[in-house]
């Protein structure tokens, strides 16, 4: 069986680890989000691809969910001693090596898909990991920043009005912790991007397509914004099943509710399913605490089941993967 999974970072990676345990003999292709990518210190950093690669390859910092095990931060400290920032993005010494190798290969002319394959030759994630695109896509967030000055300031704006600005997703998410109002989420460059080599082919050859509990806006939404990918999934003619990242009307971790609000979607399991829509999704899993929303999702034309959706360990994630594959067979029949 061939399975295609669209994935962001932590939620996607933990689900994939469960899927591998639940379906060890399947052929899994992961289409990873690259909208979170950022250039730091002259290096190309791909947080979501690396989270998937490290998690499946056994190099992840388990507690944190991102970054390397047994990490140290000497390079970051030395950069800070030179007054060179930003200091808000956590890059450890071991992690730096990944970004150096990636940047060096990109500089030599290799596309990101080839670089990712080369990095995976070390980590052996047990899946085929493809970036959604080899073209540069960077998610930006339109926000209102609080006025820099205090009352009586001279920025020419009314007190408390703040400044409207588009900032890089990582600045919004990591530096500001989504603490300022977001008005729009824009995957800059997506409309001109082409799916990476192998992406459309994998979708076309898939037996099942899964949306793990990844962020529906800035992870899966960004992948779907690359022209051709959404259409290929909708036209694939195979079951498409998703798992809700929202449990009990709140994100399990992170601030997905903030970016959902920015695109006008309420932070509930049912609203996220309707946001994807029955044109894309055939099946949707919600957590047992959201069992009362199953009828609403089914009324929207999407087959829905309530099962435990907390990835407390690999076994729990594997059970979720089995439920997703079972629901896929149910909609196929
Ligand atoms: P990111 O790129 O690191 O933010 O990772 P993803 O986009 O893949 O996943 C983030 C989403 O995963 C968040 O919206 C969380 O609510 C969701 N998530 C994380 N852990 C769990 C879990 O155990 N169960 C469920 N259902 N969702 C989870
Ligand atoms: Ca991410």
């Amino acid at each position: 069986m061939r399975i295609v999974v669209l994935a962001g970072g932590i939620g996607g990676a933990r689900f994939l680890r469960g899927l591998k345990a639940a379906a060890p003999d399947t052929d899994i292709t992961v289409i990873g989000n690259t909208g979170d990518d950022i250039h730091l210190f002259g290096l190309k950093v791909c947080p979501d691809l690396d989270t998937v690669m490290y998690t499946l390859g056994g190099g992840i910092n388990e507690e944190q969910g991102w970054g390397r095990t047994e990490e140290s931060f000497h390079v970051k400290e030395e950069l800070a001693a030179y007054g060179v920032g930003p200091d808000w993005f956590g890059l450890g010494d071991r992690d730096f090596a990944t970004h150096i190798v990636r940047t060096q290969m990109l500089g030599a002319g290799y596309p990101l898909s080839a670089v990712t394959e080369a990095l995976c030759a070390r980590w052996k994630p047990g899946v085929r990991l493809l970036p959604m695109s080899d073209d540069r896509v960077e998610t930006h967030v339109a926000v209102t920043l609080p006025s820099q000055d205090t009352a009586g300031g001279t920025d020419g704006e009314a007190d408390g009005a703040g400044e409207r600005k588009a900032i890089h997703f990582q600045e919004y998410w990591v530096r500001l912790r989504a603490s300022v109002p977001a008005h729009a989420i824009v995957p800059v460059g997506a409309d001109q991007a082409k799916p990476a080599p192998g992406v459309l082919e994998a979708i076309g050859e898939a037996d099942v397509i899964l949306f793990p509990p990844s962020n529906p806006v800035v992870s899966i939404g960004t992948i779907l914004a690359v022209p051709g990918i959404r259409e290929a999934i909708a036209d694939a003619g195979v079951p498409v099943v998703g798992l809700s990242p929202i449990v009990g009307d709140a994100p399990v971790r992170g601030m997905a509710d903030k970016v959902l609000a920015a695109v006008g979607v309420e932070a509930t399991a049912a609203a996220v399913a309707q946001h994807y829509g029955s044109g894309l999704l055939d099946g949707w899993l919600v957590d047992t605490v959201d069992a009362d929303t199953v009828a609403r999702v089914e009324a929207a034309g999407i087959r829905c089941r309530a099962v435990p959706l907390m990835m407390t360990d690999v076994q729990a994630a594997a059970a979720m993967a089995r439920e997703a594959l079972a629901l896929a067979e149910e909609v196929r029949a």
Side-chain angles (χ1 to χ4, degrees), residues 52-70:
V52 170
M53 185 174 78
Y54 293 155
T55 302
L56 300 184
I60 201 79
N61 176 323
E62 277 300 328
E63 297 74 49
Q64 219 167 237
W66 53 270
R68 290 291 320 278
T69 41
E70 295 167 36

Side-chain angles (χ1 to χ4, degrees), residues 8-10 33 36 47-48 169-170 218-219:
I10 302 176
N33 173 42
D36 292 15
D48 285 358
F169 171 73
Q170 298 296 357
V218 293
S219 292

